[in-house]
Amino acid sequence: REDVSDSLEQPLEEPDLAQYPLVDFKPTNDEVGPRKPVKIVSSDPVIDRKPALVEEEEYTLPTLAWQQVEEDQHGEFQFMVSHILSPEEMYLHPVSEMSGQLAQLEVEMGRIAGYEKLARVEEVMVGSVWAVLQEMWYRVRVNAVSHGQVELQSIDYGHYLHVDHHDHHLHRLPPGLASTLPGLAVKCHLSRVRPVQDKGWGKLALQMITSCLEGVDQHTALAVERSD
């Protein structure tokens, strides 16, 4: 065994500080003063990214025609009644492949029409076509804008609606069938029939023609040119 007692009793040598550079920890004049704000940069690129200005695409108002009646060789066609205002103004659904798409149109409108953007007030002009919710979704055409009111007409059923111009709840037509299918309601009238009274058709006349034509039954009509 080695004897280490002698080595422990020997004094330790003091280090030579001359061989080490001196470091002054006193702050300089440039370092004394108000603290400058420190910018903290996040490592997350999503947080540091500035919001981009996205220009909204200009909306092109769809132009939709009306369904045309397809007559047979005798000038006749089959139809089902959609809406009756008077013998002078009735709206029909001709029995055709195009009218057969009404059910699919209703499904598409009910599923996606509510997600479309609302029309701007300046876009609500005569002739423009929109979607509106009135118990169900309808495609409607603007017939008139007057005194803060907008007169709308369903292009697939024929009935009229009225909404406030600045609180209209009119939506853009969704893509697909709603933006391409022509209006399905065809405007017709009873030919060579006139009201007895000069003041127009009474309620009784409307009730009679409604009871004869409305329903799910198909009817046959003869297309003739109107002569006033």
Side-chain angles (χ1 to χ4, degrees):
R1 176 190 296 179
E2 296 182 1
D3 188 2
V4 295
S5 59
D6 295 339
S7 61
L8 293 177
E9 293 177 357
Q10 294 178 1
L12 297 176
E13 296 182 0
E14 295 183 1
D16 186 5
L17 298 180
Q19 58 180 325
Y20 297 100
L22 298 180
V23 179
D24 187 3
F25 290 98
K26 182 179 179 181
T28 61
N29 294 333
D30 295 338
E31 297 175 343
V32 177
R35 295 182 178 179
K36 297 181 180 180
V38 178
K39 180 181 178 181
I40 301 176
V41 180
S42 172
S43 60
D44 189 348
V46 177
I47 298 178
D48 294 333
R49 187 182 304 138
K50 295 182 179 180
L53 299 177
V54 179
E55 184 176 353
E56 182 179 359
E57 294 183 3
E58 184 177 355
Y59 178 62
T60 303
L61 297 174
T63 302
L64 298 178
W66 296 92
Q67 178 180 195
Q68 299 298 314
V69 173
E70 298 178 2
E71 308 166 13
D72 61 16
Q73 57 182 350
H74 304 293
E76 298 178 350
F77 65 95
Q78 303 290 314
F79 71 91
M80 297 175 65
V81 172
S82 173
H83 185 64
I84 300 176
L85 291 173
S86 74
E88 284 291 319
E89 187 176 0
M90 303 185 303
Y91 293 89
L92 316 176
H93 285 155
V95 178
S96 64
E97 181 179 352
M98 186 175 295
S99 295
Q101 299 183 75
L102 178 60
Q104 181 182 352
L105 172 66
E106 292 176 347
V107 171
E108 290 189 10
M109 291 284 289
R111 188 175 68 249
I112 60 178
Y115 296 100
E116 295 297 318
K117 293 184 178 180
L118 288 171
R120 297 193 296 267
V121 173
E122 61 271 16
E123 292 178 326
V124 182
M125 60 186 69
V126 175
S128 58
V129 182
W130 306 95
V132 68
L133 180 61
Q134 297 281 340
E135 297 184 355
M136 62 177 289
W137 284 98
Y138 295 101
R139 298 189 302 170
V140 292
R141 185 187 302 272
V142 178
N143 282 351
V145 180
S146 178
H147 304 292
Q149 292 292 310
V150 181
E151 180 185 278
L152 307 170
Q153 184 178 20
S154 167
I155 66 174
D156 299 307
Y157 298 93
H159 62 278
Y160 292 88
L161 304 167
H162 292 84
V163 297
D164 185 81
H165 191 198
H166 293 276
D167 189 25
H168 49 68
H169 298 291
L170 298 176
H171 291 252
R172 296 176 178 180
L173 291 182
L177 206 58
S179 297
T180 57
L181 187 67
L184 299 179
V186 176
K187 183 179 180 180
C188 297
H189 71 282
L190 286 181
S191 180
R192 302 171 187 175
V193 177
R194 297 181 182 276
V196 176
Q197 301 177 358
D198 294 337
K199 61 180 181 180
W201 298 98
K203 293 183 178 179
L204 180 59
L206 180 59
Q207 292 174 356
M208 291 181 62
I209 190 173
T210 299
S211 63
C212 292
L213 295 178
E214 276 197 339
V216 296
D217 296 333
Q218 294 185 12
H219 306 277
T220 302
L222 177 66
V224 297
E225 293 184 4
R226 180 165 187 164
S227 58
D228 294 328

